[in-house]
Amino acid sequence: MDDRSSQSLFKETRLNLEPDSPSSIVVLHISGHARSTQRSRRPARPPQPWREPAAEDETSFAREHLASSASLYFRRTRGYPRSLLWRVLGGRKVLSLQFLDIVKGPADGPDASQELRIVFPDSIRLSGIAAADSENRETLDVFVLTVANDLYTIPLKPGLFQRNRSRSASLSSSTALTKFDSGPGWYQAYLSPSFNFRHPHRLVARNPHELVVTLHDGGFLKLTRSPGKDGYSWDEAFNSEGSWGSSLRGLIPWQGHRTITHGNISLDESTITSTAFCYSDDDRTKQLFFGVTLDNKLKAWNLSSGKLETSRDLLNREKQPHEPTRFLIDPSYADLVTVVDQKAHKDGGLCYLATYSPMETGQFKFWVVAEADPSGIEIRDLHPNDTFEPLPASSELWVLAHFKLVPSEDYGLVELWVLWKNNMNYRVESLKFDILKPLDVWQQPWTLVAAESLGEVSLPFPVENQLTHPTDDWVEHIFYPGKFTGATLATALSIYERNLHLPRPSSGNDKTGLEERICSAVASAVALGRQSDARMDYERFQLDTDFQWRRYYRVVTELNKQRSEAVSFAFDCDLRMPWIVSSDGVAALRHCNELELLWHNKSDVAARRDGVACERLHGALEVPYRADIDRVAALVTAASAFREAFSETLLKCTAAALQSEVTQDASDAVDSRIRDFYDRCGFGSLVSDEDYNQLAKALDVIGGFKSLDTALFENVVHLTSSRRSYPPGDLALTLFGERMVVRGAQEMIHLNGAILSDLLYLLVFIEIEENDEEEKPLDIETPSIFLNLIRLLRENAVLGWLAKTARSEKPLNDGANGDLMASEGSAQSAAIEDDRVSTILRFPFVRNWKPVWMQPSPSMHVVLTNYIDNALSGIGLADPDRYEQQVMWLQRTFIRRGDADLALQFLRFQPVTAWSAYITARLYLLTGDDALAAAHFRKAAFNLAHREGIKKLYFDETEDLLRREDAQSFNAGVAKYYLHVAKLCETEQAFAIAAELAGIGLQYTIAVPREDRKTVQDQLLNSTFHTYLKIYCYDEAYSALMRMADESLEQNEGSHLVSFPFLGLQDAVDEFLLGKCRTQLNISSGPPYHSILYAWRLKRGNFRGAAAVLDERLQRLKTVSFSEKDPEHSALTQAYLALINTLATLRTDQAWIISSASASKTEGRGRDTAASPDQPQPQPQQQQRRRRNLTTLAEVRRQYQEELDRIAAIETDQFSFAVVDADADSVVDMDVGVNMDMDLDAGEGINGAHVAVSNKDVRFRQDGKDAGMTMMMDDGKAREAREAREARKDMHMRSGDVQGHDGKRGGEATRLGMETEMEMEF
C-alpha cells in the first residue's frame, strides 16, 4: 500500500472503566433456566456488592477484567440516560450494563452512575447480546442468548441506574432494590424448539417485539411477541433461501460442503454474519432484512412474507451457479452492511446501502434499494465501474475491522468512519463525500484521529548524582491518575513476584495498599552492596532499583496493551459522537482545538506537502495565525525535534532547570536569568554538533536562524495561551462527563507543557549560541518572550499538578471563589455519597463549573472540546492579575480541609507576597512547625498591617480562613496584626510563638491611637501572661502581670490565678496572700483575699491551713456590725459551717487548728473597731495582744451551736443585757424577756441609769456615759419569729452534715434555748 498524506482533525480521549467507588457496582444473579415450563423460579438472590476478583496471571486477568464482547447502544429518545454500554466479562458469564452519557439536562435527576453486573448460569453466546427501546421510551429491553440456547429478556428502567446520591454509599444495593423488582419475575427466559436442531449464530433486535436470530445453516429465525407481552413466549417463523436442500443441508451436513468453525459450532458458508433493516413508511409490507453471508453475498428478505427478494455478490461480480467459493468471510465480522438513508429520493429507491467485502485488499460498494416489478425489490450498484478500496495511512499491515456510514451535518453528504486494527493497535479514519459521487474525494487525504499522547510520556531514568530516589519518580509515573487500573497493577505485581520467587502477601486491587506493596516488592529485589573500598555503593543501588522498576513496568504495559485492544466502534447519530469501545475502556473522539490541530499536523503543514490539508488547517485556525501557519508549524517542528535529540542526562538537567525557574520568584535581571538557565541546562557541553546541524536543517524550511523574529515566537505563545470561553448553557456534566473532561484536560496540559518547554529551550539556546552582537543580531526580543514563556509554564505547572494530584472528595460548604465557580456547597457537591478519590482538577473545578451552551444542532465531539477548554480557562491562572488570587484560594482550601501534605507540595507555586507569607504561616501552624510559622508571620507583618486596599483584594474571599473580626486586624497597624496572630497561635496551642509575637506587638503599641492604646496593650499583656504560664516561664509571666492593670487582675483573675502551678513560688504566694488577709481593714468589702487563700490552700491539699484561714475570717466577722439587711448574721453562720466542713475532712484526731484570739478590751461583739467612726482606734500594742488557743472540731461545733442559740433567742424575743463595767474587765449577762407593748418613759432608769427607748434599741447610759449594755429587740410578732426559727433550724440541720476522712457522717444538732420571759420593772 502506498502511504498517503492525511490530516488529524479529531483527538482520542481514552478513559478507564474502573468505577470511582466499588459501591457503584451492584451484582444480580440469574438462577433459572428456560427449560422449566413453570414461570416460577427459585427465590432470586438479593443484589450483592461487587468484589473485584483477583487475577494471578494474564489468563485470569483477561477472563475477569477484559471484555470479550462490548458495544454501545444509543436509545432513540433524547432524554437521559441514553448511551448504554454493555460488556461481557467473567468468562462470558457476566453482563455489565452502564450508561456513559457526558451531559444531562437540568431536570434529568441524579446521575446514572450505577453499574449492573448480571451473572448468568451459562456462558453468553458470541454475538448473543441485543437491546431495543420500548415504544413509550420508558423501558429498555436487553436480550441475552446463552450457549444453553436460553433467550433471556431483561426489561430495565433507566431510573435503576440513577443512584439516590443523598443516601449513604452503603445503601447502594438497597437503593437498587427500591427501584427494581429483583424477585423471580425481573427477567424472563425462553427456549426455542428450533434450537434443538439448529444452532444460533447472531442475535439482532429490530424492536422490543421483533428479534432475528441467524442460524448456522444459512437461515434465520424471526421471533415476535405482541406489545405488552413478556419474554416467556415468542412466536417463531423460520426463513431460509427457500429450497428443501438448503434446509436439509442444515440438518444433515453434506460431505465436501465447506464450513467454518466459530466458537464451538460449524457454520455453513451461507450463514448470515452481518445484518441491517430497512422499512417503508408508505408500505408496511415492505419490511426488508439485509444480510451478508460468509460466502461474500448480499441478500435481502421481506420480513413480512419471509421471501428472499434478491441476492448479489458483495463485489458485484458475476459468478457461475456451481462455481466454488474461494473466500469465506471471518464470522466475527459484524459491520459489513449498513443502511445509509432510509429514503433514497434521488434515485427513487427505498434506501441506500453500503457494504464492505474483506476479500483480498477489501473494497466498499454503494447500493440503492428500489422497487422492482412485479412487487419485488432490486439492489443496484451505484458505481459499478469504480473501485473503492480504503487504504490506511501507512504501509503497515492493517485490517479494517469496523465501519460506520452515517449522514453528515452537511446536507447531501455522508461520513464514512473506519476502524483499522493491527494486532492490538488500532487507528480511526473518516471521509466525507457524496454517496452519488464518492470518487471525487476518495483519493484525497482522509481525516485521521490522533491517538492519545499521554502514553508517550518519557519514562524516568537514573542520572549520576541524582538527588531523588528512582522509586519516587516511578511511583509518580505509574500511579498517574487514569493511566492504569488497580487490577492491572495488582496482576502485574503477582506476575512480577512469581517470576522473582518473592513472598506473596494477600492480594488485593485497592490502590490504597497497592502502592506500598509494589514498592516493597521492588525494594526486596534489590540489595545495597559495597564498593571495592568497602564503602556503600549507592550509585549501583539506584541503578539496580531503576532496573527492577523497568522490569515491573514492562509487565504492566503488556497487560495494558490487552486492555487497549479495540472491540467495537459506535457512532451516536443524534449527538454526532464517535466512540471506540476497547476491552477495558472507552475512547471518545472529539474535535481538535487549534493547538492540537497544529501539533498533530505540524510536519505536513511545515513542508506544505498537501495543498488540501494545508487549506483545511488554514481554515480551521483563527485569523491571526493564518498568514504564518507554515512558519509557525516549522518553528514548532524544529523545537520539538531539538528536544527529542536530547540525551537522558540533558533531559534531566533541562527538566530540573525548568522546574527551578518556574517555581522560584527570581529577582535577578532577565539577561542573567537566561544565561543562568543556559548554564544549568548544560547546553554548552551536552548539545553535540550533530544536534546543532539537525536543528539548523529543520529551520532551513523557513530561512534558517536569521529568519526567526519576535512575531513568530509570539504567534506560538499566543496560540498556547488563548483558550476560548463559552457562554453558560443548560446542560451539566455527569460524573462520567467529569472524568472525560479531566482526562482531556490532562492531555491538553501535557501538550501545552511540551510545546512551551520546547520553545523555551530553543529560545535560550539560540540567544546564547547564535545572537552574536558583533554580527547582525537576531530580530528577537528574547527577554520579553522568555518572561512570557516562564509565566505560561508556571500556569501549566500548576494545572499539571492539579491534574495529577488525587485526594479524597469531601463536600465543603464554601462559596469563597466568587464568580469563578459555583459554591462547593451546592446540590452537586453536597450530593457526594462516597468518599471518592479524584484529582483536584475534577473536584472542585470541573465539578462546579457552569454548563456550556450548545448549538440547536449540537455535535458532542465539539462540545466536549469546549468543555475541556472551559475547564482550563475557567481556573483563571492564565491571567497574571488573577494568578495569585487563584493560587492562594487553592492553598486556603487545602489548609481549611486539613490537607497539610497537599498544601506543602503546593508551596512551590505560591507567589512571594505578604499575603502568601501569612498563608504559609497558617500552614506551618497546621503542621506544627512553630518556628517557621513565627518567621512567616513576622515577614508579612508590615505589609499586611499598612498596605492600602488589601481588604478589598482578599478579605471578601477569605471567609473560609478568617472571621470578620479577624479581618479587622489587617491594615490597622502592626500592634493589632500581632495581637491577631498571637491569638491565632494561642488557639492552635503554639504558646511559645504566641508569647513571642505578642511581645513584639507590645513594642508597637506606641503607634496605636490614644483611645485604643490601653485596650490593645492590655490584650497583648493578657495574651503574653497566659501563654508564658502555659510554657512555665514564670519570670516572664510575672513581668507581664506587673504591667497589667491591677483592677482587672483583682476583680476578675483571682480564680484563674489559683489554678496556676507557681512551681517554686508556692510559699511566697501563700505568704503574700496571708499578708493581704491580715492587712485588709474591712472584710465585708474589697477583694476576698481570705477566700482566695482558702482556695489556694485547698488546691494544694493544705486542709488545716485552709481551716486556719476560715477561723481568722470567722474571728474578724465577729467584730463586724451587721446591717439591717442581715440581722440574723447569716455570714457568720456560713463561716462556721465552712470551717466545720473543712475540719471534718480531716481525721478525728487531726481535726484541730491553732487560732489566735484577740485580748484587746476594745474588741467586742457588735462593733468593728476598724470601721466604727465613734470608737477610738485601738493602739498597736492592744492589737498585738492575742492569745493562741488549740481549737478542735468539737469546740467549733459548740461555738456554732451557741451562735444558733443566740440567734434563736433574739427571734423569740429573748435577749440578754451585756453590762460592761468601764473600770473592771467583767461582763454581766442578763436574760430578759421583753414585752414589746410596754411603754418606757425617757428619764426613768435602773439604779440611776437613764433609759433611751426606741422601737428596736434600748440603750442604757449612766451619767452621760455608755454603760456598755445594749439590747437588740425584734419588733416582729411572736408567731412569725417562731416560723422563721423553725425554717432556720431545718436549714442548719441540713447544712451541718459533713463527710470526714474517716468516712463517718458528722452532724451538728442544734440546741435551741428555752424561751424564758421576764418582766422588766423600772
Side-chain angles (χ1 to χ4, degrees):
M1 295 182 182
D2 297 332
D3 291 352
R4 58 179 177 172
S5 178
S6 299
Q7 54 187 340
S8 298
L9 299 181
F10 286 83
K11 179 73 175 182
E12 176 190 36
T13 301
R14 298 181 185 177
L15 193 63
N16 295 332
L17 293 177
E18 188 176 32
D20 287 339
S21 173
S23 62
S24 62
I25 302 178
V26 175
V27 182
L28 301 174
H29 292 266
I30 289 181
S31 56
H33 289 270
R35 293 181 177 85
S36 174
T37 58
Q38 300 291 334
R39 291 195 175 188
S40 61
R41 299 286 187 266
R42 289 178 295 173
R45 295 173 59 182
Q48 301 293 326
W50 176 253
R51 291 180 176 85
E52 191 75 23
E56 301 295 330
D57 51 23
E58 294 185 21
T59 303
S60 59
F61 175 76
R63 181 181 65 252
E64 299 295 342
H65 302 287
L66 302 184
S68 55
S69 301
S71 184
L72 272 167
Y73 173 78
F74 304 102
R75 300 174 64 207
R76 290 175 291 175
T77 178
R78 285 187 173 270
Y80 172 81
R82 57 179 305 273
S83 303
L84 177 67
L85 171 68
W86 60 264
R87 298 184 299 155
V88 179
L89 304 168
R92 301 199 62 84
K93 285 190 175 184
V94 179
L95 175 63
S96 170
L97 301 172
Q98 63 184 123
F99 282 96
L100 302 185
D101 295 79
I102 297 177
V103 296
K104 65 175 183 177
D108 287 332
D111 286 337
S113 59
Q114 195 90 353
E115 179 183 354
L116 296 184
R117 296 199 175 181
I118 305 174
V119 182
F120 290 85
D122 302 297
S123 299
I124 301 173
R125 190 177 290 275
L126 296 173
S127 305
I129 305 291
D133 277 332
S134 60
E135 289 81 358
N136 55 13
R137 307 290 194 272
E138 295 181 357
T139 305
L140 175 66
D141 289 340
V142 177
F143 306 98
V144 181
L145 186 60
T146 66
V147 294
N149 295 330
D150 291 326
L151 177 62
Y152 292 95
T153 302
I154 306 174
L156 300 173
K157 290 186 177 181
L160 172 64
F161 297 87
Q162 294 177 308
R163 307 183 68 185
N164 189 353
R165 303 174 75 187
S166 63
R167 299 185 181 182
S168 174
S170 62
L171 298 179
S172 59
S173 297
S174 60
T175 302
L177 280 174
T178 61
K179 295 182 178 180
F180 185 58
D181 182 12
S182 61
W186 67 272
Y187 65 91
Q188 300 96 45
Y190 172 74
L191 177 62
S192 172
S194 301
F195 294 158
N196 293 330
F197 49 88
R198 288 186 174 93
H199 302 292
H201 171 55
R202 190 175 299 278
L203 174 65
V204 184
R206 181 173 173 269
N207 56 53
H209 311 293
E210 189 172 353
L211 305 179
V212 173
V213 181
T214 64
L215 304 175
H216 79 289
D217 58 358
F220 66 91
L221 189 65
K222 177 183 174 184
L223 302 176
T224 58
R225 59 174 176 168
S226 302
K229 298 295 183 180
D230 53 30
Y232 287 112
S233 62
W234 295 82
D235 297 328
E236 299 185 7
F238 175 75
N239 299 272
S240 64
E241 293 187 10
S243 63
W244 65 271
S246 60
S247 301
L248 186 60
R249 185 172 62 248
L251 299 177
I252 304 175
W254 290 17
Q255 186 176 3
H257 189 71
R258 295 190 62 182
T259 60
I260 183 171
T261 302
H262 182 61
N264 56 355
I265 61 175
S266 296
L267 301 178
D268 188 83
E269 62 181 13
S270 61
T271 301
I272 303 172
T273 188
S274 181
T275 61
F277 296 95
C278 176
Y279 58 90
S280 173
D281 292 334
D282 300 331
D283 187 0
R284 303 298 297 180
T285 61
K286 289 187 172 59
Q287 308 298 322
L288 301 180
F289 170 67
F290 302 97
V292 174
T293 60
L294 299 181
D295 56 358
N296 210 42
K297 291 181 180 180
L298 173 63
K299 298 179 181 180
W301 281 268
N302 189 331
L303 287 179
S304 301
S305 62
K307 176 185 176 182
L308 177 62
E309 297 287 350
T310 184
S311 176
R312 299 292 301 270
D313 185 79
L314 275 184
L315 300 179
N316 199 16
R317 297 177 182 179
E318 295 294 336
K319 182 180 178 182
Q320 298 299 325
H322 301 288
E323 181 181 352
T325 302
R326 298 181 179 179
F327 176 81
L328 293 180
I329 299 175
D330 188 342
S332 62
Y333 273 103
D335 295 331
L336 296 179
V337 59
T338 183
V339 175
V340 180
D341 194 351
Q342 294 287 355
K343 296 181 180 180
H345 295 295
K346 295 181 180 179
D347 293 277
L350 298 176
C351 60
Y352 291 120
L353 289 180
T355 61
Y356 174 73
S357 173
M359 186 176 179
E360 298 177 354
T361 59
Q363 184 177 341
F364 280 99
K365 276 293 182 179
F366 304 101
W367 315 81
V368 60
V369 180
E371 296 182 356
D373 294 332
S375 66
I377 65 170
E378 63 176 353
I379 301 177
R380 297 197 307 265
D381 188 353
L382 288 175
H383 311 283
N385 300 322
D386 298 328
T387 302
F388 302 100
E389 295 182 356
L391 300 179
S394 66
S395 58
E396 299 178 359
L397 182 60
W398 292 90
V399 176
L400 194 150
H402 302 275
F403 85 93
K404 298 291 181 183
L405 190 63
V406 296
S408 174
E409 293 177 301
D410 301 330
Y411 180 76
L413 301 181
V414 294
E415 291 182 9
L416 176 63
W417 291 82
V418 296
L419 173 67
W420 299 91
K421 292 187 65 174
N422 179 2
N423 198 2
M424 293 184 182
N425 302 320
Y426 66 86
R427 63 190 310 169
V428 179
E429 295 180 328
S430 68
L431 182 66
K432 185 183 298 184
F433 59 91
D434 185 351
I435 195 171
L436 300 178
K437 298 181 295 183
L439 197 61
D440 296 343
V441 297
W442 194 265
Q443 298 301 327
Q444 293 182 6
W446 288 36
T447 298
L448 290 179
V449 176
E452 186 184 51
S453 58
L454 283 175
E456 301 174 1
V457 179
S458 59
L459 299 179
F461 47 86
V463 179
E464 294 183 3
N465 301 323
Q466 182 176 351
L467 298 179
T468 60
H469 197 273
T471 298
D472 299 333
D473 298 334
W474 279 103
V475 167
E476 181 179 352
H477 181 80
I478 292 177
F479 285 90
Y480 187 89
K483 193 178 187 67
F484 304 112
T485 63
T488 305
L489 298 177
T491 306
L493 177 60
S494 299
I495 298 175
Y496 175 80
E497 291 173 338
R498 185 175 64 252
N499 293 340
L500 295 182
H501 305 288
L502 298 176
R504 302 171 62 188
S506 59
S507 60
N509 295 342
D510 58 309
K511 287 190 175 182
T512 304
L514 186 57
E515 178 179 339
E516 181 179 353
R517 290 172 48 207
I518 294 174
C519 294
S520 177
V522 172
S524 62
V526 182
L528 178 60
R530 295 181 179 272
Q531 298 179 356
S532 57
D533 55 357
R535 292 183 302 173
M536 294 295 180
D537 194 350
Y538 293 105
E539 183 177 352
R540 186 62 191 175
F541 176 74
Q542 288 193 344
L543 293 176
D544 293 343
T545 302
D546 179 77
F547 173 77
Q548 292 298 329
W549 275 109
R550 291 179 183 274
R551 189 172 183 177
Y552 171 74
Y553 187 74
R554 281 195 296 268
V555 181
V556 174
T557 53
E558 289 300 322
L559 293 176
N560 195 61
K561 286 180 181 179
Q562 301 180 34
R563 294 182 53 252
S564 304
E565 182 181 3
V567 178
S568 65
F569 180 85
F571 192 93
D572 188 352
C573 295
D574 291 334
L575 297 180
R576 306 209 54 78
M577 184 71 177
W579 294 84
I580 299 174
V581 181
S582 60
S583 297
D584 190 22
V586 292
L589 309 185
R590 57 177 179 82
H591 194 74
C592 291
N593 65 3
E594 286 74 17
L595 187 62
E596 293 172 330
L597 197 64
L598 175 65
W599 174 261
H600 294 295
N601 302 278
K602 58 183 183 296
S603 299
D604 293 339
V605 177
R608 302 180 182 179
R609 293 180 183 176
D610 196 301
V612 177
C614 290
E615 180 180 353
R616 296 185 64 178
L617 287 173
H618 185 271
L621 293 177
E622 293 182 344
V623 175
Y625 317 108
R626 291 180 180 176
D628 294 334
I629 181 61
D630 55 339
R631 300 182 71 239
V632 170
L635 178 62
V636 173
T637 303
S640 176
F642 179 62
R643 188 255 310 155
E644 290 175 355
F646 287 177
S647 62
E648 291 184 351
T649 302
L650 183 55
L651 282 173
K652 198 74 174 182
C653 293
T654 53
L658 179 61
Q659 181 178 1
S660 175
E661 188 67 31
V662 165
T663 55
Q664 70 180 3
D665 190 76
S667 58
D668 297 337
V670 180
D671 294 337
S672 300
R673 292 173 58 184
I674 294 175
R675 167 60 71 174
D676 183 62
F677 185 81
Y678 176 87
D679 295 336
R680 282 182 290 159
C681 290
F683 286 141
S685 59
L686 297 178
V687 175
S688 63
D689 294 339
E690 183 180 357
D691 298 336
Y692 177 83
N693 295 332
Q694 290 180 358
L695 175 61
K697 184 179 179 180
L699 291 175
D700 286 341
V701 179
I702 55 176
F705 290 103
K706 299 301 180 181
S707 65
L708 301 178
D709 54 15
T710 302
L712 187 59
F713 278 90
E714 287 181 347
N715 283 340
V716 182
V717 171
H718 189 65
L719 192 62
T720 57
S721 60
S722 61
R723 298 190 181 98
R724 295 182 180 180
S725 296
Y726 300 89
D730 57 351
L731 293 181
L733 287 173
T734 63
L735 290 177
F736 177 79
E738 292 174 6
R739 296 176 56 196
M740 186 65 70
V741 169
V742 169
R743 190 61 178 175
Q746 291 174 338
E747 179 80 15
M748 287 189 180
I749 292 170
H750 171 69
L751 178 59
N752 283 359
I755 294 177
L756 291 171
S757 59
D758 292 350
L759 210 61
L760 179 66
Y761 299 150
L762 179 62
L763 176 69
V764 172
F765 181 78
I766 292 176
E767 173 66 20
I768 303 299
E769 296 286 344
E770 295 294 328
N771 200 0
D772 191 354
E773 296 182 356
E774 298 180 359
E775 300 181 2
K776 183 179 179 180
L778 299 178
D779 187 18
I780 304 176
E781 297 179 2
T782 304
S784 63
I785 300 175
F786 178 83
L787 292 179
N788 285 335
L789 288 174
I790 292 298
R791 176 180 60 83
L792 293 176
L793 283 168
R794 181 183 295 113
E795 171 208 352
N796 197 78
V798 176
L799 293 175
W801 186 85
L802 296 177
K804 73 178 182 180
T805 305
R807 70 172 179 183
S808 175
E809 295 184 6
K810 303 174 184 177
L812 299 174
N813 294 324
D814 177 26
N817 208 24
D819 60 347
L820 173 67
M821 61 184 64
S823 171
E824 291 187 41
S826 61
Q828 178 77 356
S829 61
I832 297 175
E833 61 197 7
D834 299 320
D835 192 16
R836 292 186 176 91
V837 176
S838 64
T839 63
I840 304 175
L841 184 63
R842 176 181 176 186
F843 179 72
F845 289 104
V846 172
R847 169 157 299 170
N848 294 309
W849 191 246
K850 298 176 182 179
V852 174
W853 176 79
M854 294 178 62
Q855 300 174 358
S857 299
S859 296
M860 184 54 64
H861 64 270
V862 178
V863 175
L864 179 57
T865 302
N866 296 347
Y867 261 107
I868 297 172
D869 283 336
N870 245 18
L872 295 179
S873 62
I875 299 177
L877 297 176
D879 187 356
D881 296 333
R882 298 184 63 189
Y883 174 82
E884 178 182 355
Q885 177 183 356
Q886 294 306 106
V887 168
M888 299 316 301
W889 178 86
L890 276 170
Q891 189 68 293
R892 296 198 314 271
T893 303
F894 297 148
I895 295 175
R896 183 166 57 91
R897 291 168 54 97
D899 295 329
D901 294 339
L902 297 180
L904 289 173
Q905 297 178 32
F906 197 70
L907 271 180
R908 63 180 184 268
F909 301 116
Q910 287 187 200
V912 182
T913 61
W915 180 246
S916 175
Y918 175 82
I919 297 299
T920 304
R922 296 290 297 267
L923 170 60
Y924 286 132
L925 274 183
L926 180 64
T927 59
D929 297 327
D930 296 345
L932 291 176
H936 284 82
F937 276 134
R938 293 193 300 268
K939 182 179 179 181
F942 286 95
N943 286 332
L944 292 184
H946 298 297
R947 178 177 174 182
E948 295 294 336
I950 191 169
K951 292 182 180 180
K952 179 180 179 181
L953 182 61
Y954 293 113
F955 291 162
D956 291 339
E957 302 165 359
T958 57
E959 295 181 0
D960 56 341
L961 203 61
L962 292 176
R963 298 176 301 175
R964 182 59 57 181
E965 54 270 22
D966 293 335
Q968 304 303 321
S969 301
F970 293 84
N971 201 21
V974 180
K976 289 188 176 180
Y977 168 80
Y978 276 109
L979 176 61
H980 159 68
V981 298
K983 290 181 177 178
L984 190 66
C985 296
E986 188 175 357
T987 303
E988 297 295 331
Q989 298 185 354
F991 300 113
I993 63 172
E996 175 188 352
L997 296 174
I1000 298 176
L1002 285 171
Q1003 303 174 15
Y1004 294 94
T1005 53
I1006 191 65
V1008 179
R1010 186 179 300 275
E1011 59 272 13
D1012 298 333
R1013 184 180 304 167
K1014 187 175 184 303
T1015 302
V1016 175
Q1017 186 175 12
D1018 288 346
Q1019 290 177 349
L1020 285 170
L1021 287 171
N1022 187 53
S1023 176
T1024 305
F1025 172 70
H1026 287 89
T1027 51
Y1028 274 132
L1029 285 178
K1030 291 291 184 181
I1031 57 178
Y1032 308 110
C1033 295
Y1034 297 113
D1035 292 340
E1036 291 81 0
Y1038 177 77
S1039 176
L1041 184 65
M1042 296 302 296
R1043 298 176 60 184
M1044 297 174 65
D1046 295 339
E1047 295 82 3
S1048 60
L1049 274 178
E1050 292 180 353
Q1051 298 297 329
N1052 303 322
E1053 302 294 337
S1055 59
H1056 194 52
L1057 283 170
V1058 173
S1059 63
F1060 295 139
F1062 288 98
L1063 298 178
L1065 300 175
Q1066 295 185 11
D1067 295 340
V1069 173
D1070 192 284
E1071 183 179 355
F1072 173 81
L1073 293 176
L1074 182 60
K1076 284 287 186 180
C1077 295
R1078 291 176 176 176
T1079 58
Q1080 189 175 17
L1081 296 178
N1082 191 352
I1083 63 174
S1084 60
S1085 61
Y1089 287 117
H1090 288 85
S1091 299
I1092 295 175
L1093 182 57
Y1094 169 73
W1096 169 267
R1097 291 180 175 179
L1098 278 185
K1099 182 76 174 179
R1100 283 145 185 82
N1102 187 4
F1103 296 99
R1104 180 176 288 109
V1109 174
L1110 294 179
D1111 179 71
E1112 181 177 349
R1113 180 173 179 271
L1114 177 64
Q1115 301 304 325
R1116 294 287 299 274
L1117 285 175
K1118 291 180 180 180
T1119 65
V1120 175
S1121 296
F1122 294 94
S1123 65
E1124 297 179 2
K1125 296 181 180 180
D1126 188 19
E1128 302 166 0
H1129 293 203
S1130 61
L1132 194 62
T1133 57
Q1134 292 296 330
Y1136 270 113
L1137 287 176
L1139 179 58
I1140 292 172
N1141 289 337
T1142 304
L1143 287 175
T1145 58
L1146 301 174
R1147 295 198 309 268
T1148 304
D1149 58 339
Q1150 297 293 328
W1152 55 266
I1153 57 173
I1154 302 296
S1155 62
S1156 299
S1158 176
S1160 175
K1161 295 182 179 181
T1162 60
E1163 293 182 354
R1165 178 173 304 205
R1167 84 186 98 175
D1168 190 342
T1169 60
S1172 176
D1174 298 333
Q1175 180 69 22
Q1177 297 295 325
Q1179 298 300 324
Q1181 60 270 21
Q1182 290 177 324
Q1183 295 182 1
Q1184 299 299 326
R1185 293 171 58 191
R1186 294 179 178 271
R1187 296 190 300 269
R1188 302 187 67 185
N1189 300 324
L1190 179 66
T1191 303
T1192 62
L1193 176 59
E1195 178 66 20
V1196 175
R1197 287 174 174 171
R1198 184 188 63 77
Q1199 296 177 8
Y1200 172 63
Q1201 187 61 54
E1202 291 177 354
E1203 178 66 19
L1204 293 180
D1205 294 342
R1206 186 185 68 82
I1207 295 174
I1210 294 175
E1211 291 175 349
T1212 58
D1213 303 335
Q1214 181 179 352
F1215 55 90
S1216 62
F1217 290 98
V1219 180
V1220 182
D1221 189 355
D1223 298 330
D1225 190 9
S1226 63
V1227 179
V1228 179
D1229 292 334
M1230 296 183 297
D1231 292 335
V1232 182
V1234 181
N1235 187 354
M1236 300 305 301
D1237 295 331
M1238 71 180 181
D1239 293 333
L1240 295 178
D1241 295 333
E1244 293 182 352
I1246 301 176
N1247 296 329
H1250 295 278
V1251 181
V1253 181
S1254 66
N1255 62 339
K1256 290 186 179 181
D1257 182 80
V1258 179
R1259 185 175 295 277
F1260 292 84
R1261 294 180 180 274
Q1262 185 176 12
D1263 296 333
K1265 297 181 179 179
D1266 191 351
M1269 184 173 62
T1270 303
M1271 180 183 69
M1272 299 296 299
M1273 300 171 57
D1274 189 354
D1275 62 337
K1277 295 180 179 181
R1279 181 177 55 83
E1280 296 176 352
R1282 284 193 298 271
E1283 292 177 357
R1285 185 180 70 250
E1286 292 298 329
R1288 189 171 294 104
K1289 175 183 176 182
D1290 294 339
M1291 178 189 71
H1292 290 314
M1293 288 295 292
R1294 288 192 301 267
S1295 60
D1297 280 344
V1298 295
Q1299 179 69 36
H1301 279 298
D1302 55 358
K1304 297 181 179 180
R1305 301 284 297 179
E1308 182 67 29
T1310 304
R1311 180 179 60 85
L1312 300 178
M1314 300 298 295
E1315 298 184 4
T1316 60
E1317 295 185 357
M1318 298 176 58
E1319 293 293 336
M1320 180 181 289
E1321 298 180 358
F1322 296 95

